[in-house]
Amino acid sequence: MALTSAGRLSEGIAEYERALTAARAAAEQILVPFITKNLAATLTDHGQPGRAVLLLEGLLADPVEPLLERRARHALAKAYSALNRLDEARLEFDRAVAASDTDPDSLVQVLPDRAELRRRLGDAAGALADTSRALDVLEALRAKAAPRDAMKQSFVDQHRALFNLSITLRREDGFRFRASFDSVPAAPELVFDEPAPLGSDTGPNAADVLGA
């Protein structure tokens, strides 16, 4: 919804609530679950994760179609995390990742959030594994999106520099890594680090960069 994308969350919540009331009144059984999920996610973003949990737990109490399930479980995990119900958040993140295994678009969204939860729980290895997996999925999506039509070779030539990036990642100390873009000499190097106590907080962590 445009209002939530523009940061007008209070108005977005009101719009979702009106849409949900209308969909229920019209017995729109397909729309109601999706509007419910979107409303819940917006509530979490607006600092009302308790309301979001009630909506999402009710939604997931009955079977739902696969796309909605993986997105609703992701939203529920984020709501639990916001409430510091971290064990429940971990369970829902695990379910969301499992449900997203064949959906890279969903997977690349949920993995960075699970990585952040694992970091909060002190599971540095798990956080790093999720971040690495998210990068692999992102690279696969990038490769799939690259133009391949031989009849449009000039288009390919114009965009080759964009899609054929070469990146070197060097570990400097602890959780501090330095990324250099070999195919773009003018590009500055990027330093990744984890917040204390895992790292020294000398740069953004990979989960933050993926989620940006």
Side-chain angles (χ1 to χ4, degrees), residues 145-157:
R148 299 173 184 271
D149 191 344
M151 299 297 292
K152 299 178 181 178
Q153 189 60 48
S154 62
F155 179 84
V156 174
D157 292 340

Side-chain angles (χ1 to χ4, degrees), residues 22 26 32 41 49 55 67 76 81 97 113 144 161 184 201 204 210:
V32 167
L55 286 171
L67 174 63
L76 181 56
S81 183
V97 168
D113 288 336
K144 185 177 180 180
V184 188
D201 205 16
L210 283 172

Side-chain angles (χ1 to χ4, degrees), residues 42-91:
T42 306
L43 286 167
T44 298
D45 290 340
H46 198 53
Q48 301 180 55
R51 287 185 60 195
V53 164
L54 292 176
L55 286 171
L56 292 165
E57 287 180 340
L59 175 62
L60 290 166
D62 298 313
V64 294
E65 66 96 18
L67 174 63
L68 177 60
E69 179 188 359
R70 49 187 175 259
R71 294 186 177 176
R73 293 201 180 281
H74 185 189
L76 181 56
K78 292 177 69 174
Y80 281 146
S81 183
L83 291 168
N84 286 317
R85 293 164 61 175
L86 301 187
D87 288 337
E88 291 163 287
R90 177 170 51 189
L91 177 61

Side-chain angles (χ1 to χ4, degrees), residues 2 5 25 34 40 64-65 73 88 94 103 116 121 124-125 133 139 142-143 191 194 197:
S5 297
F34 281 94
V64 294
E65 66 96 18
R73 293 201 180 281
E88 291 163 287
D94 289 348
D103 179 4
E116 174 59 20
L121 291 168
R133 185 180 176 190
E139 171 59 21
R142 182 209 65 79
V191 173
E194 290 292 328

Side-chain angles (χ1 to χ4, degrees), residues 16-30:
Y16 277 130
E17 288 174 333
R18 283 193 287 270
L20 185 57
T21 298
R24 285 171 172 165
E28 293 283 358
Q29 299 304 318
I30 295 177

Side-chain angles (χ1 to χ4, degrees), residues 112-128 130 193-199 205 207-208:
D113 288 336
R114 190 174 72 169
E116 174 59 20
L117 176 72
R118 286 179 159 179
R119 185 191 67 78
R120 290 177 63 188
L121 291 168
D123 180 9
L128 185 59
D130 274 349
D193 201 353
E194 290 292 328
L198 291 177
N205 66 24
D208 289 338

